[in-house]
């Protein structure tokens, strides 16, 4: 079905917007369709097997980015705004849901008692960021580097 659309609509659009190139668009479509099918076949399998790992990594990175954009990086402020601000709570719960989905997808729940207990680890990245944010203050790092020189 997409081959038909590619062979019919592409030349029409090409001849309308680029006069005199409608025939070349048909040839390009005939060359590109098998290439697209090959790329889809190869990369589709790679994405299928790596998707759970991609989800876990992206949930960790987006959770860290969410906290990094906060101006007040104190433990008290990060924890308070995470719990009391409804928008932040929804964002964090979304990160946790993605992280839990990634863990379930990786483990495939082959051993349900062990693998479902891993869901308890889902909040740890957020808690780790909150606890260790004070160690990443650029002013403190610059002062330490200045002292050691």
């Amino acid at each position: 079905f997409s081959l038909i659309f590619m062979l019919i609509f592409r030349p029409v659009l090409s001849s309308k917007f680029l006069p005199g190139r409608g025939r070349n668009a048909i040839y390009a479509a005939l060359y590109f369709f098998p290439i697209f099918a090959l790329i889809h076949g190869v990369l589709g399998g790679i994405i299928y097997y790596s998707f759970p790992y991609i989800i876990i990594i992206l949930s960790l990175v987006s959770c860290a980015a969410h906290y990094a954009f906060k101006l007040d990086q104190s433990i008290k402020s990060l924890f308070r705004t995470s719990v009391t601000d409804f928008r932040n709570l929804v964002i964090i719960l979304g990160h946790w849901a993605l992280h839990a989905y990634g863990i379930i997808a990786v483990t495939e729940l082959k051993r349900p008692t062990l693998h479902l207990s891993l869901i308890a680890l889902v909040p740890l990245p957020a808690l780790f960021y909150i606890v260790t944010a004070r160690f990443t203050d650029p002013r403190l790092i610059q002062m330490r580097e200045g002292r050691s020189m």
Side-chain angles (χ1 to χ4, degrees), residues 12 25 32 64-65 71 74-75 92 98 108-109 131 140 147:
V12 170
F32 284 131
L71 293 178
S74 66
I75 293 174
I92 291 168
L98 281 175
E108 296 177 2
L109 295 179
V131 171
L140 295 175
R147 244 188 281 151

Side-chain angles (χ1 to χ4, degrees), residues 72 74-85 88 130:
D72 188 2
S74 66
I75 293 174
K76 184 178 178 181
S77 174
L78 287 173
F79 186 74
R80 187 178 348 107
T81 58
S82 298
V83 177
T84 58
D85 188 11
N88 288 336
I130 290 172

Side-chain angles (χ1 to χ4, degrees), residues 16-132:
K16 180 174 174 112
F17 294 113
L18 300 169
R21 296 191 178 211
R23 186 178 311 152
N24 293 337
I26 292 174
Y27 295 137
L30 289 174
Y31 285 120
F32 284 131
F33 197 71
I35 294 170
F36 289 151
L38 179 70
I39 290 171
H40 178 74
V42 171
L43 295 181
I46 291 172
I47 290 174
Y48 176 78
Y49 285 109
S50 63
F51 184 73
Y53 304 102
I54 292 171
I55 289 293
I56 290 173
I57 291 169
L58 288 180
S59 74
L60 291 174
V61 169
S62 62
C63 186
H66 172 72
Y67 281 122
F69 285 116
K70 304 280 184 203
L71 293 178
D72 188 2
Q73 290 285 314
S74 66
I75 293 174
K76 184 178 178 181
S77 174
L78 287 173
F79 186 74
R80 187 178 348 107
T81 58
S82 298
V83 177
T84 58
D85 188 11
F86 182 72
R87 179 181 175 272
N88 288 336
L89 186 63
V90 168
I91 290 171
I92 291 168
L93 289 176
H95 293 294
W96 288 357
L98 281 175
H99 198 79
Y101 174 76
I103 290 173
I104 291 170
V106 166
T107 61
E108 296 177 2
L109 295 179
K110 292 180 180 173
R111 294 174 44 198
T113 54
L114 172 67
H115 296 149
L116 284 177
S117 65
L118 293 175
I119 301 301
L121 300 175
V122 166
L124 282 182
L127 294 174
F128 180 78
Y129 185 92
I130 290 172
V131 171
T132 60

